[in-house]
Amino acid sequence: MAAGSSCTIVEYFGGDDGYRCGYCKNEKGNFSHGMWSHAMTVQDYQDLIDRGWRRSGKYVYKPIMNKTCCPQYTIRCHALNFQPSKTHKKILKKMSKFLSKGEMPTEQGDGEPMDSLCEEGGLHGPVKVCHSEVASPVVTAILTEEGDTTPAEFETARKDPVSVPDGKGPETTPKPGVGADPGRPLCRKAKELRKARRLQKEQKRQVGGGVPTSNPATPVQLNQPKALEEFINESLPDSPLHRLEVRLVRSNPPSSQFKASFDASYQVYKLYQMAIHHDPPDKPTESQFRRFLCDSPLEMETPPDGPAAGYGSFHQQYWLDGRIVAVGVVDILPTCVSSVYLYYHPDFASLSLGSYSALREVAFTRQLQKQSPKLCFYYLGFYIHSCNKMRYKGQYQPSDLLCPETYVFVPIECCIPSLEQTHYARFNQDPDAGDTHVLKDLGRALVLYRRTVMPYAAYARKRKGSNDEMEVAQYAGLVGQLCAERILLYRA
């Protein structure tokens, strides 16, 4: 079939059989629906992940939430309003010490899990490889490589929720550089606060005394929090002992830089899988690496109103003194950066590279939003409350979880009480709310049959053999009416 370059083609596999769970180790407790994607537009994938789907290579899967042992909820962070926690600041300072002085921590990072951000993909599930002869769209455009993705400063208008201290309580004399924010000594903060108060009093006095002002002064915001970019830039010293560079390279279609660094990247992945996930040396093969982390169904798109790098699948490589030490696999989509996987050299595990890379990806999302205003979310994959080591994803605040029944995002703080009571929960509190894209007309779903695109109603009249209406209806219900009318479901 000679397919166009702007359509999604999938084969649906269903999901009746249970398989081993990578979290609770239940041998038959993990259930999901799956489909193989021969090609996929970034908008279709954006809409699918907003219905609880997720990709591993070209395999796209959706956990059966009310049946699987460890429900996996799609989680997204509001990147523009993100403020690093104390733990995040410690991780950035730890990186700064290593780069400037060569100090390597001996312990793992402050309770942060040392496995990858998004390890739950195909490595834990029954990823099927499809060999159907469905030609994928031919992509001819080649994107010029982006350089260092260190983000520029980003001005945030979010007010500090922490109230200004009133000076009461036991008095202590902090040393310079020690306190809640070592970057700004407490004595300096107090001086700034006094100056701000004097300025506010002077403004009130002028207004109260009837002094005419054609251009009144802008109210002073006290304790404006430092932006994430400031913390990251502070972690990158001007004259470092070690030099860290972040490079964004397109993985599909593979760019020249991706091809040139492929072997070095694969060797890091192999070491990571053996050391962190305890794989035997013969398991993390090059073909497995390609299948899970290099192959992608997402087509490259470079619209004029999109980010300079374009949309699609990328590897964000972390180069330390001229060699790759970590790689973040990401998808750049119309409204988000979606984290796929993170692997790193085990020798640098104590630097908390999983969390460090997540912070860099949040900042990267903010950088892209300047070029494409709709792109403002950072998706961290799945949040699994029943697995303690995966709860850390909820620390990237503010964040939302996807309701598994209505497919609306709900603030995570509203979801946690329900998850404390039961593994599976509906987050939308409106009992009358439902799926706005629920399947209403199966006949309008598109199928690809004998090299021809047609609605399911026409296909049902032409079809020979067993009736597949139940299977197609299940698929269409899971992707929703909107996607069912755009995505081409392959029929043999």
Side-chain angles (χ1 to χ4, degrees):
M1 186 204 93
S5 60
S6 59
C7 63
T8 297
I9 307 173
V10 301
E11 288 187 65
Y12 181 62
F13 291 143
D16 297 327
D17 299 329
Y19 53 94
R20 186 175 185 272
C21 176
Y23 305 103
C24 70
K25 313 305 179 185
N26 187 319
E27 290 297 329
K28 294 290 184 179
N30 202 345
F31 291 86
S32 68
H33 300 286
M35 56 189 181
W36 184 266
S37 178
H38 296 273
M40 184 169 287
T41 67
V42 291
Q43 186 59 60
D44 283 339
Y45 186 55
Q46 178 73 70
D47 291 343
L48 286 176
I49 64 174
D50 286 341
R51 292 183 66 85
W53 292 83
R54 181 161 171 76
R55 80 172 184 90
S56 175
K58 292 188 174 184
Y59 183 76
V60 187
Y61 64 101
K62 174 177 168 52
I64 304 177
M65 300 293 282
N66 58 358
K67 187 176 181 182
T68 193
C69 54
C70 296
Q72 302 162 55
Y73 299 91
T74 299
I75 181 171
R76 72 178 186 184
C77 169
H78 294 253
L80 301 188
N81 295 327
F82 173 80
Q83 285 294 323
S85 66
K86 289 183 179 180
T87 298
H88 296 148
K89 294 174 186 176
K90 287 181 180 179
I91 290 170
L92 293 172
K93 288 169 185 173
K94 182 164 54 175
M95 177 63 75
S96 177
K97 288 183 179 179
F98 170 72
L99 295 177
S100 60
K101 303 177 182 178
E103 295 181 9
M104 179 69 79
T106 56
E107 78 287 349
Q108 291 192 353
D110 300 318
E112 289 280 334
M114 294 311 299
D115 44 17
S116 66
L117 254 185
C118 303
E119 66 168 9
E120 62 270 5
L123 301 181
H124 286 179
V127 174
K128 301 181 181 182
V129 179
C130 182
H131 300 288
S132 300
E133 295 182 358
V134 179
S136 297
V138 177
V139 181
T140 56
I142 302 298
L143 178 71
T144 302
E145 290 302 314
E146 293 294 308
D148 190 350
T149 59
T150 302
E153 288 190 2
F154 184 88
E155 294 296 328
T156 175
R158 180 170 180 262
K159 295 183 179 180
D160 189 355
V162 181
S163 60
V164 178
D166 59 7
K168 297 179 181 179
E171 296 185 359
T172 57
T173 304
K175 297 179 180 179
V178 177
D181 187 349
R184 298 175 65 188
L186 292 178
C187 56
R188 182 184 169 192
K189 281 187 176 180
K191 181 178 179 180
E192 291 176 348
L193 289 175
R194 290 194 296 271
K195 183 177 179 181
R197 291 192 187 103
R198 284 199 300 270
L199 180 58
Q200 287 184 328
K201 288 180 180 179
E202 180 64 20
Q203 292 172 357
K204 290 179 180 179
R205 185 187 65 78
Q206 292 179 352
V207 174
V211 178
T213 55
S214 58
N215 185 23
T218 303
V220 177
Q221 291 187 0
L222 304 182
N223 269 10
Q224 182 72 14
K226 289 201 305 188
L228 171 63
E229 289 77 3
E230 295 181 73
F231 288 106
I232 291 177
N233 291 335
E234 288 175 0
S235 73
L236 303 174
D238 295 331
S239 301
L241 181 64
H242 298 289
R243 186 168 296 278
L244 179 67
E245 180 186 4
V246 183
R247 302 178 188 174
L248 184 72
V249 298
R250 183 177 286 276
S251 57
N252 184 57
S255 64
S256 57
Q257 284 193 3
F258 178 83
K259 293 177 180 177
S261 59
F262 175 85
D263 186 65
S265 183
Y266 165 61
Q267 294 302 324
V268 173
Y269 165 78
K270 186 174 182 179
L271 292 172
Y272 172 84
Q273 291 299 128
M274 290 190 296
I276 306 302
H277 293 294
H278 310 295
D279 284 357
D282 60 338
K283 185 176 180 181
T285 63
E286 183 177 312
S287 62
Q288 182 208 51
F289 173 65
R290 286 184 183 275
R291 190 166 67 250
F292 289 124
L293 299 178
C294 302
D295 291 349
S296 169
L298 300 185
E299 299 178 6
M300 179 176 73
E301 298 182 27
T302 55
D305 59 344
Y311 298 121
S313 297
F314 298 82
H315 282 198
Q316 205 164 36
Q317 301 173 338
Y318 294 78
W319 290 73
L320 181 67
D321 300 333
R323 65 167 178 153
I324 296 177
V325 295
V327 177
V329 182
V330 298
D331 294 329
I332 300 179
L333 304 176
T335 63
C336 75
V337 170
S338 175
S339 178
V340 179
Y341 201 77
L342 184 281
Y343 55 95
Y344 52 80
H345 197 294
D347 289 352
F348 300 94
S350 60
L351 289 175
S352 302
L353 290 175
S355 298
Y356 178 78
S357 67
L359 294 171
R360 292 296 296 254
E361 288 170 8
V362 172
F364 179 53
T365 304
R366 292 156 65 122
Q367 179 189 12
L368 295 180
Q369 192 274 340
K370 294 180 180 179
Q371 305 165 14
S372 182
K374 293 188 301 181
L375 204 164
C376 57
F377 295 106
Y378 174 57
Y379 283 52
L380 296 92
F382 287 138
Y383 175 82
I384 307 167
H385 195 76
S386 58
C387 180
N388 287 333
K389 74 172 185 176
M390 299 304 290
R391 292 186 182 184
Y392 75 99
K393 294 185 181 185
Q395 297 174 7
Y396 294 82
Q397 297 279 357
S399 59
D400 305 319
L401 297 183
L402 184 68
C403 176
E405 296 181 9
T406 62
Y407 302 114
V408 297
F409 281 97
V410 179
I412 191 171
E413 59 269 21
C414 300
C415 305
I416 297 300
S418 297
L419 294 176
E420 290 288 346
Q421 301 297 323
T422 177
H423 287 180
Y424 173 78
R426 170 192 167 107
F427 301 138
N428 193 326
Q429 297 301 309
D430 181 358
D432 298 324
D435 176 9
T436 56
H437 296 300
V438 65
L439 180 67
K440 296 179 179 178
D441 187 354
L442 179 61
R444 294 173 60 87
L446 291 183
V447 301
L448 178 62
Y449 179 61
R450 293 185 176 179
R451 308 164 75 94
T452 304
V453 177
M454 63 186 71
Y456 180 76
Y459 159 76
R461 293 191 296 267
K462 294 176 178 288
R463 167 190 65 219
K464 294 181 181 180
S466 58
N467 190 321
D468 61 359
E469 182 174 345
M470 288 185 62
E471 178 184 318
V472 176
Q474 184 184 61
Y475 148 81
L478 293 168
V479 302
Q481 185 74 43
L482 190 65
C483 284
E485 293 182 20
R486 289 200 314 251
I487 296 175
L488 307 184
L489 175 65
Y490 177 74
R491 299 281 86 188

